[in-house]
Amino acid sequence: MNEFYQKDIISIKDFNKEKLEKIFTSTDKIIQLNSTDRREICKGKTLGYLFYEPSTRTRLSFESAMASIGGNSLGISDISSSSTQKGESLADTIRIMSIYSDALVLRHPLDGSSRFASEISEKPLVNAGSGTEEHPTQAIQDLFTIKKEKKKIDGLKIGIIGDLKYGRTVYSLLYGLGNYDVDVRLISPESLRIRSDSTYEIKKRLDFTESPHIEDHIDELDVLYVTRIQKERFPDEEEYLKVKGSYVVGLDLLNQMKDDSIILHPLPRIDEITADVDKTKNAKYFEQAEYGKYTRAALLGLILNKNGF
Ligand code: CP
Protein backbone atom coordinates (compact mmCIF):
# COMPACT_ATOMS: atom_id res chain seq x y z
CA MET A 1 0.00 0.00 0.00
CA ASN A 2 1.30 3.50 -0.75
CA GLU A 3 2.18 5.36 2.45
CA PHE A 4 0.06 8.44 1.61
CA TYR A 5 -3.15 6.45 1.11
CA GLN A 6 -6.00 7.99 3.16
CA LYS A 7 -3.51 10.10 5.14
CA ASP A 8 -4.13 13.64 6.38
CA ILE A 9 -1.63 16.30 5.29
CA ILE A 10 -1.44 18.70 8.23
CA SER A 11 2.20 19.66 8.70
CA ILE A 12 5.30 19.46 6.57
CA LYS A 13 7.08 18.37 9.77
CA ASP A 14 5.58 14.94 9.05
CA PHE A 15 7.55 14.68 5.80
CA ASN A 16 11.08 13.33 5.68
CA LYS A 17 13.25 13.61 2.58
CA GLU A 18 12.18 10.21 1.30
CA LYS A 19 8.49 11.16 1.44
CA LEU A 20 9.12 14.50 -0.27
CA GLU A 21 11.14 12.83 -3.01
CA LYS A 22 8.33 10.30 -3.52
CA ILE A 23 5.90 13.18 -4.13
CA PHE A 24 8.37 14.83 -6.51
CA THR A 25 8.71 11.59 -8.49
CA SER A 26 4.91 11.27 -8.64
CA THR A 27 4.67 14.92 -9.73
CA ASP A 28 7.10 14.25 -12.58
CA LYS A 29 4.91 11.33 -13.58
CA ILE A 30 1.80 13.57 -13.57
CA ILE A 31 3.62 16.05 -15.84
CA GLN A 32 4.69 13.29 -18.23
CA LEU A 33 1.37 11.42 -18.47
CA ASN A 34 -0.91 12.20 -21.39
CA SER A 35 -4.23 13.78 -20.40
CA THR A 36 -6.25 10.60 -21.08
CA ASP A 37 -4.15 8.47 -18.74
CA ARG A 38 -3.98 11.28 -16.19
CA ARG A 39 -7.78 11.43 -16.02
CA GLU A 40 -7.91 7.78 -14.91
CA ILE A 41 -6.08 8.52 -11.63
CA CYS A 42 -9.04 9.87 -9.63
CA LYS A 43 -11.90 9.10 -11.97
CA GLY A 44 -15.22 9.39 -10.11
CA LYS A 45 -13.67 10.81 -6.93
CA THR A 46 -14.76 14.04 -5.28
CA LEU A 47 -12.66 16.68 -3.54
CA GLY A 48 -14.44 18.88 -1.01
CA TYR A 49 -12.97 22.27 -0.15
CA LEU A 50 -13.68 24.77 2.59
CA PHE A 51 -11.99 28.16 2.50
CA TYR A 52 -12.64 30.34 5.54
CA GLU A 53 -10.02 32.79 4.20
CA PRO A 54 -9.58 34.20 0.68
CA SER A 55 -7.56 32.24 -1.86
CA THR A 56 -6.85 32.34 -5.55
CA ARG A 57 -3.99 29.89 -6.21
CA THR A 58 -4.51 27.23 -3.58
CA ARG A 59 -8.21 26.68 -4.17
CA LEU A 60 -8.06 26.93 -7.94
CA SER A 61 -4.95 24.76 -8.23
CA PHE A 62 -6.63 22.06 -6.12
CA GLU A 63 -9.73 22.26 -8.34
CA SER A 64 -7.69 22.27 -11.50
CA ALA A 65 -5.51 19.41 -10.21
CA MET A 66 -8.56 17.30 -9.33
CA ALA A 67 -10.14 17.90 -12.75
CA SER A 68 -6.87 16.99 -14.49
CA ILE A 69 -6.83 13.57 -12.78
CA GLY A 70 -10.46 12.86 -13.63
CA GLY A 71 -12.14 13.86 -10.37
CA ASN A 72 -14.48 16.66 -9.49
CA SER A 73 -14.62 19.28 -6.74
CA LEU A 74 -17.32 20.87 -4.66
CA GLY A 75 -17.04 23.27 -1.82
CA ILE A 76 -17.39 26.60 -0.14
CA SER A 77 -15.12 29.46 -1.08
CA ASP A 78 -17.29 32.25 0.30
CA ILE A 79 -18.04 31.29 3.86
CA SER A 80 -20.60 34.11 4.15
CA SER A 81 -22.88 32.17 1.80
CA SER A 82 -22.69 28.99 3.92
CA SER A 83 -24.58 27.91 7.03
CA THR A 84 -21.62 29.12 9.08
CA GLN A 85 -23.51 32.43 8.90
CA LYS A 86 -26.37 30.74 10.81
CA GLY A 87 -23.95 29.62 13.49
CA GLU A 88 -22.96 26.16 12.26
CA SER A 89 -19.70 25.01 13.84
CA LEU A 90 -16.51 24.08 12.00
CA ALA A 91 -16.91 20.54 13.38
CA ASP A 92 -20.40 20.09 11.89
CA THR A 93 -19.37 21.68 8.60
CA ILE A 94 -16.48 19.23 8.35
CA ARG A 95 -18.74 16.28 9.20
CA ILE A 96 -21.14 17.27 6.42
CA MET A 97 -18.40 17.92 3.85
CA SER A 98 -16.83 14.56 4.59
CA ILE A 99 -20.13 12.84 3.74
CA TYR A 100 -20.08 14.42 0.28
CA SER A 101 -16.37 14.05 -0.52
CA ASP A 102 -13.54 11.52 -0.76
CA ALA A 103 -10.97 14.03 0.56
CA LEU A 104 -11.17 17.49 2.10
CA VAL A 105 -9.12 20.66 1.75
CA LEU A 106 -9.38 23.28 4.50
CA ARG A 107 -8.09 26.83 4.86
CA HIS A 108 -8.91 28.49 8.16
CA PRO A 109 -7.58 31.54 10.07
CA LEU A 110 -6.93 29.68 13.32
CA ASP A 111 -3.73 27.84 14.20
CA GLY A 112 -4.59 24.21 14.93
CA SER A 113 -7.74 24.30 12.78
CA SER A 114 -6.60 21.63 10.33
CA ARG A 115 -5.40 19.29 13.07
CA PHE A 116 -8.77 19.71 14.82
CA ALA A 117 -10.74 19.19 11.59
CA SER A 118 -8.75 16.07 10.68
CA GLU A 119 -9.83 14.50 13.96
CA ILE A 120 -13.49 15.12 13.05
CA SER A 121 -13.32 14.20 9.37
CA GLU A 122 -14.05 10.67 8.21
CA LYS A 123 -12.03 11.43 5.07
CA PRO A 124 -8.40 12.49 4.64
CA LEU A 125 -7.93 16.21 5.18
CA VAL A 126 -5.35 18.48 3.57
CA ASN A 127 -4.30 21.69 5.31
CA ALA A 128 -4.47 24.53 2.76
CA GLY A 129 -3.30 27.13 5.29
CA SER A 130 -3.98 27.19 9.03
CA GLY A 131 -3.59 30.59 10.67
CA THR A 132 0.02 31.75 10.80
CA GLU A 133 1.11 28.19 11.45
CA GLU A 134 1.58 26.22 8.22
CA HIS A 135 0.76 25.79 4.55
CA PRO A 136 2.28 22.38 3.80
CA THR A 137 1.20 21.95 0.17
CA GLN A 138 2.75 25.33 -0.62
CA ALA A 139 6.06 24.07 0.79
CA ILE A 140 5.86 20.92 -1.35
CA GLN A 141 5.32 23.13 -4.40
CA ASP A 142 8.14 25.49 -3.33
CA LEU A 143 10.61 22.64 -2.84
CA PHE A 144 9.58 21.04 -6.13
CA THR A 145 10.11 24.39 -7.89
CA ILE A 146 13.60 24.75 -6.42
CA LYS A 147 14.45 21.20 -7.48
CA LYS A 148 13.15 21.70 -11.02
CA GLU A 149 14.72 25.10 -11.56
CA LYS A 150 18.06 24.53 -9.77
CA LYS A 151 18.28 20.76 -10.46
CA LYS A 152 19.00 20.18 -6.75
CA ILE A 153 18.17 21.45 -3.27
CA ASP A 154 21.21 20.27 -1.29
CA GLY A 155 24.07 22.76 -1.29
CA LEU A 156 22.01 25.85 -2.12
CA LYS A 157 22.12 29.23 -0.41
CA ILE A 158 18.54 30.30 0.16
CA GLY A 159 17.39 33.74 1.31
CA ILE A 160 13.88 34.17 2.70
CA ILE A 161 12.82 37.79 2.93
CA GLY A 162 9.85 39.78 4.19
CA ASP A 163 7.22 38.90 6.76
CA LEU A 164 8.74 35.94 8.57
CA LYS A 165 6.54 36.43 11.62
CA TYR A 166 3.09 35.98 10.11
CA GLY A 167 3.88 34.26 6.78
CA ARG A 168 2.81 30.63 7.22
CA THR A 169 4.48 29.57 3.97
CA VAL A 170 7.82 30.50 5.58
CA TYR A 171 7.36 28.04 8.46
CA SER A 172 6.36 25.15 6.21
CA LEU A 173 9.23 25.94 3.83
CA LEU A 174 11.76 26.04 6.70
CA TYR A 175 10.52 22.71 8.12
CA GLY A 176 10.72 21.21 4.63
CA LEU A 177 14.21 22.61 3.97
CA GLY A 178 15.28 20.96 7.22
CA ASN A 179 15.47 17.72 5.23
CA TYR A 180 18.21 19.13 3.02
CA ASP A 181 21.74 20.45 3.41
CA VAL A 182 21.07 24.14 2.77
CA ASP A 183 22.44 27.49 3.93
CA VAL A 184 19.46 29.64 4.95
CA ARG A 185 19.53 33.42 5.42
CA LEU A 186 16.44 34.98 6.99
CA ILE A 187 16.01 38.65 6.12
CA SER A 188 13.31 40.75 7.78
CA PRO A 189 12.64 43.89 9.79
CA GLU A 190 13.31 43.31 13.49
CA SER A 191 9.56 43.22 14.27
CA LEU A 192 8.91 40.54 11.62
CA ARG A 193 11.60 38.00 12.59
CA ILE A 194 10.43 34.39 12.90
CA ARG A 195 8.38 33.82 16.02
CA SER A 196 10.38 32.90 19.08
CA ASP A 197 8.01 30.00 19.88
CA SER A 198 9.05 28.36 16.57
CA THR A 199 12.77 29.15 16.66
CA TYR A 200 13.68 26.08 18.72
CA GLU A 201 11.75 23.76 16.38
CA ILE A 202 13.38 25.29 13.30
CA LYS A 203 16.88 25.26 14.83
CA LYS A 204 16.50 21.53 15.49
CA ARG A 205 16.13 21.06 11.75
CA LEU A 206 18.50 23.53 10.10
CA ASP A 207 21.02 26.31 10.64
CA PHE A 208 20.10 29.82 9.65
CA THR A 209 21.28 33.38 10.07
CA GLU A 210 19.04 36.41 10.66
CA SER A 211 19.58 39.95 9.42
CA PRO A 212 17.57 42.99 8.35
CA HIS A 213 20.01 43.70 5.50
CA ILE A 214 19.42 42.08 2.12
CA GLU A 215 22.60 43.77 0.81
CA ASP A 216 24.72 41.52 3.06
CA HIS A 217 23.52 38.38 1.25
CA ILE A 218 22.20 39.27 -2.16
CA ASP A 219 25.30 38.38 -4.24
CA GLU A 220 25.63 34.93 -2.65
CA LEU A 221 22.09 33.58 -2.95
CA ASP A 222 20.96 30.82 -5.31
CA VAL A 223 17.31 31.32 -4.36
CA LEU A 224 15.56 34.44 -3.05
CA TYR A 225 12.12 33.58 -1.61
CA VAL A 226 10.15 36.80 -1.27
CA THR A 227 7.07 37.09 0.93
CA ARG A 228 4.27 39.60 1.30
CA ILE A 229 3.83 41.60 4.50
CA GLN A 230 0.64 39.99 5.85
CA LYS A 231 -1.35 43.14 6.58
CA GLU A 232 -4.46 41.18 7.62
CA ARG A 233 -2.62 39.49 10.50
CA PHE A 234 -1.33 42.64 12.21
CA PRO A 235 -3.24 43.44 15.39
CA ASP A 236 -2.53 47.13 14.85
CA GLU A 237 -2.47 49.03 11.53
CA GLU A 238 0.20 51.42 12.84
CA GLU A 239 2.58 48.49 13.29
CA TYR A 240 1.87 47.43 9.70
CA LEU A 241 2.57 50.93 8.37
CA LYS A 242 5.98 50.90 10.09
CA VAL A 243 7.14 47.88 8.02
CA LYS A 244 5.09 48.32 4.84
CA GLY A 245 7.41 48.47 1.83
CA SER A 246 10.48 47.41 3.87
CA TYR A 247 11.89 45.47 0.90
CA VAL A 248 11.27 45.90 -2.79
CA VAL A 249 12.97 43.48 -5.16
CA GLY A 250 13.56 45.37 -8.40
CA LEU A 251 16.05 45.22 -11.26
CA ASP A 252 18.66 47.10 -9.19
CA LEU A 253 18.68 44.30 -6.61
CA LEU A 254 18.38 41.56 -9.23
CA ASN A 255 21.49 42.92 -10.98
CA GLN A 256 23.49 42.20 -7.82
CA MET A 257 22.39 38.55 -7.79
CA LYS A 258 24.15 35.58 -9.34
CA ASP A 259 23.28 35.17 -12.99
CA ASP A 260 21.60 31.79 -12.41
CA SER A 261 19.81 32.72 -9.18
CA ILE A 262 16.04 32.38 -9.02
CA ILE A 263 13.37 34.51 -7.38
CA LEU A 264 10.35 32.77 -5.86
CA HIS A 265 7.21 34.09 -4.17
CA PRO A 266 4.20 32.12 -2.93
CA LEU A 267 2.00 35.01 -4.18
CA PRO A 268 -0.11 37.08 -3.97
CA ARG A 269 2.41 39.86 -4.51
CA ILE A 270 1.59 43.41 -3.52
CA ASP A 271 4.59 45.68 -4.06
CA GLU A 272 7.55 43.58 -2.89
CA ILE A 273 8.64 42.58 -6.42
CA THR A 274 8.44 45.17 -9.18
CA ALA A 275 6.65 44.16 -12.39
CA ASP A 276 9.79 44.63 -14.51
CA VAL A 277 11.38 41.65 -12.73
CA ASP A 278 8.61 39.38 -14.09
CA LYS A 279 10.10 39.12 -17.56
CA THR A 280 13.63 38.28 -16.43
CA LYS A 281 14.92 34.70 -16.59
CA ASN A 282 15.37 34.73 -12.81
CA ALA A 283 11.69 35.26 -12.00
CA LYS A 284 10.16 31.84 -11.39
CA TYR A 285 7.10 32.68 -9.31
CA PHE A 286 4.58 32.05 -12.05
CA GLU A 287 6.22 28.69 -12.86
CA GLN A 288 6.05 28.02 -9.10
CA ALA A 289 2.26 28.61 -9.21
CA GLU A 290 1.97 26.22 -12.15
CA TYR A 291 3.97 23.52 -10.36
CA GLY A 292 1.40 23.84 -7.54
CA LYS A 293 -1.20 22.28 -9.78
CA TYR A 294 1.01 19.28 -10.55
CA THR A 295 2.25 18.71 -6.98
CA ARG A 296 -1.35 18.84 -5.70
CA ALA A 297 -2.52 16.43 -8.41
CA ALA A 298 0.25 14.03 -7.37
CA LEU A 299 -0.64 14.36 -3.70
CA LEU A 300 -4.37 13.75 -4.33
CA GLY A 301 -3.54 10.79 -6.58
CA LEU A 302 -1.47 9.25 -3.80
CA ILE A 303 -4.00 9.98 -1.04
CA LEU A 304 -6.89 8.52 -3.00
CA ASN A 305 -5.29 5.40 -4.54
CA LYS A 306 -4.25 2.49 -2.36
CA ASN A 307 -1.48 1.44 -4.71
CA GLY A 308 -0.55 4.91 -5.93
CA PHE A 309 -0.68 5.60 -9.65
N1 CP B 1 0.09 31.01 -2.21
C1 CP B 1 -1.19 31.02 -1.78
O1 CP B 1 -1.55 30.35 -0.79
O2 CP B 1 -2.01 31.77 -2.55
P1 CP B 1 -3.57 31.98 -2.30
O3 CP B 1 -3.72 32.67 -0.96
O4 CP B 1 -4.07 32.78 -3.44
O5 CP B 1 -4.20 30.60 -2.22
Side-chain angles (χ1 to χ4, degrees), residues 51 53-61 107 128-129 135 138 141-142 168-169 225 228 265-268 288 296:
F51 279 73
E53 284 186 332
S55 169
T56 297
R57 276 145 297 274
T58 310
R59 185 174 68 78
L60 294 178
S61 64
R107 172 171 289 185
H135 191 348
Q138 178 71 47
Q141 142 188 12
D142 297 342
R168 59 192 168 203
T169 69
Y225 187 94
R228 171 178 72 90
H265 192 312
L267 304 177
Q288 183 183 1
R296 291 183 173 105

Side-chain angles (χ1 to χ4, degrees), residues 66-298:
M66 195 57 178
S68 76
I69 54 176
N72 58 78
S73 305
L74 55 85
I76 300 167
S77 57
D78 173 13
I79 219 69
S80 68
S81 68
S82 77
S83 286
T84 303
Q85 284 306 101
K86 302 175 199 161
E88 188 164 44
S89 65
L90 174 63
D92 279 358
T93 309
I94 291 289
R95 278 186 195 103
I96 298 303
M97 286 298 292
S98 73
I99 294 170
Y100 302 145
S101 318
D102 296 296
L104 293 184
V105 171
L106 173 69
R107 172 171 289 185
H108 195 281
L110 291 182
D111 290 3
S113 49
S114 279
R115 181 80 60 197
F116 167 76
S118 70
E119 286 162 12
I120 305 282
S121 178
E122 301 279 328
K123 305 288 168 49
L125 185 136
V126 181
N127 176 2
S130 49
T132 56
E133 187 183 47
E134 274 219 53
H135 191 348
T137 63
Q138 178 71 47
I140 292 169
Q141 142 188 12
D142 297 342
L143 293 168
F144 184 78
T145 305
I146 295 171
K147 186 154 185 192
K148 287 308 262 190
E149 298 296 336
K150 296 300 299 174
K151 312 294 176 218
K152 63 176 186 176
I153 299 177
D154 285 317
L156 295 180
K157 289 189 172 63
I158 300 176
I160 305 178
I161 185 170
D163 184 349
L164 312 186
K165 180 174 183 181
Y166 296 118
R168 59 192 168 203
T169 69
V170 171
Y171 292 84
S172 288
L173 179 60
L174 285 169
Y175 300 137
L177 284 171
N179 291 297
Y180 297 88
D181 177 20
V182 285
D183 175 348
V184 172
R185 321 281 176 90
L186 301 180
I187 303 145
S188 72
E190 178 65 27
S191 65
L192 295 181
R193 288 171 61 190
I194 55 166
R195 299 188 294 273
S196 54
D197 59 352
S198 303
T199 309
Y200 174 74
E201 184 68 37
I202 295 166
K203 276 193 174 149
K204 271 199 314 198
R205 292 162 195 272
L206 86 175
D207 292 326
F208 59 85
T209 62
E210 291 182 274
S211 158
H213 304 299
I214 179 69
E215 299 76 19
D216 295 349
H217 304 284
I218 194 71
D219 58 343
E220 292 184 75
L221 299 176
D222 300 297
V223 179
L224 179 61
Y225 187 94
V226 185
T227 65
R228 171 178 72 90
I229 310 273
Q230 308 256 311
K231 181 181 181 190
E232 70 277 20
R233 304 204 190 278
F234 280 67
D236 177 344
E237 183 160 6
E238 257 183 52
E239 289 305 308
Y240 167 70
L241 292 173
K242 281 184 199 162
V243 288
K244 179 180 181 290
S246 292
Y247 304 102
V248 177
V249 177
L251 292 179
D252 50 339
L253 208 59
L254 180 58
N255 287 336
Q256 299 172 53
M257 295 183 73
K258 285 159 73 170
D259 187 54
D260 63 350
S261 60
I262 60 170
I263 298 174
L264 302 182
H265 192 312
L267 304 177
R269 150 186 60 182
I270 309 302
D271 53 9
E272 56 278 0
I273 303 179
T274 58
D276 50 9
V277 173
D278 296 357
K279 55 184 180 297
T280 67
K281 67 180 180 357
N282 312 81
K284 296 293 177 191
Y285 27 92
F286 294 117
E287 285 85 346
Q288 183 183 1
E290 184 176 358
Y291 289 136
K293 170 179 163 175
Y294 302 128
T295 50
R296 291 183 173 105

